[in-house]
Amino acid sequence: MRAVAARVTEASVTVDGDVVGAIDEPGLLVLLGIHADDTPDKAATMARKLYELRILRGEESCATAHAPLLVVSQFTLYGDTRKGRRPSWTAAARPETAEKLVDAVVASLRERGATVATGLFGAMMAVHSVNDGPFTVLVEV
């Protein structure tokens, strides 16, 4: 499981002109990719890492600052570009598996007390963010 976590002052996701998820205060925009071999155990671990990741201002985490997260599924994080000019997507989980694991990460974050907005799985999304710093890290479990 792989996530790109960006510290933002605000972020939103729009599908067909409608905002489907947004955070309007400092927090994290999380682009989340699911690998074909990922399991529900990894979902809980990823949620813990994201919620406790100390990359907000003052070395705070979403847990300590009560900051929101916007989680957006992103299968392209497992695109393999080492060979040729066209990415291979074979490492990414199948949609039916990936959706369940993205939902599991979101559910685990909420169980921890996080405020979580989401994109719409499988939709063509427009993601708007105002990066803070910018400060962006790759998180893998």
Side-chain angles (χ1 to χ4, degrees), residues 6-8 26-28 51 53-68 132 135:
R7 184 174 74 189
V8 297
L28 292 182
Y51 194 51
L53 190 63
R54 293 174 44 187
I55 65 170
L56 299 179
R57 294 206 177 249
E59 292 190 20
E60 294 259 21
S61 66
C62 288
T64 60
H66 306 287
D132 183 16
F135 199 120

Side-chain angles (χ1 to χ4, degrees), residues 11-13 19-24 68-70 117-118:
S12 64
V13 177
V19 175
V20 297
I23 58 174
D24 58 3
L69 300 94
L70 174 57
T118 64

Side-chain angles (χ1 to χ4, degrees), residues 47 51 69 71 103-118:
Y51 194 51
L69 300 94
V71 177
D103 289 347
V105 171
V106 170
S108 186
L109 282 164
R110 289 179 175 148
E111 287 170 8
R112 294 176 171 281
T115 299
V116 184
T118 64

Side-chain angles (χ1 to χ4, degrees), residues 14 39 46 52 66-67 77 84-85 92 110 127-129 134:
T14 303
T39 63
M46 178 60 81
E52 297 176 4
H66 306 287
L77 290 179
R85 296 174 301 192
R110 289 179 175 148
V127 180
H128 166 81
S129 67

Side-chain angles (χ1 to χ4, degrees), residues 2-127:
R2 181 177 289 165
V4 175
R7 184 174 74 189
V8 297
T9 57
E10 63 183 63
S12 64
V13 177
T14 303
V15 175
D16 294 329
D18 295 321
V19 175
V20 297
I23 58 174
D24 58 3
E25 60 185 289
L28 292 182
L29 169 61
V30 177
L31 305 177
L32 181 62
I34 307 299
H35 190 276
D37 295 334
D38 284 340
T39 63
D41 289 342
K42 285 190 175 184
T45 301
M46 178 60 81
R48 180 187 54 77
K49 287 182 86 95
L50 291 169
Y51 194 51
E52 297 176 4
L53 190 63
R54 293 174 44 187
I55 65 170
L56 299 179
R57 294 206 177 249
E59 292 190 20
E60 294 259 21
S61 66
C62 288
T64 60
H66 306 287
L69 300 94
L70 174 57
V71 177
V72 179
S73 63
Q74 184 85 31
F75 81 93
T76 60
L77 290 179
Y78 278 104
D80 184 351
T81 60
R82 291 177 289 181
K83 189 174 179 184
R85 296 174 301 192
R86 185 176 299 152
S88 167
W89 311 111
T90 58
R94 303 279 309 149
E96 55 277 4
T97 301
E99 184 173 16
K100 289 176 185 172
L101 290 175
V102 169
D103 289 347
V105 171
V106 170
S108 186
L109 282 164
R110 289 179 175 148
E111 287 170 8
R112 294 176 171 281
T115 299
V116 184
T118 64
L120 184 59
F121 188 90
M124 181 61 75
M125 296 177 273
V127 180

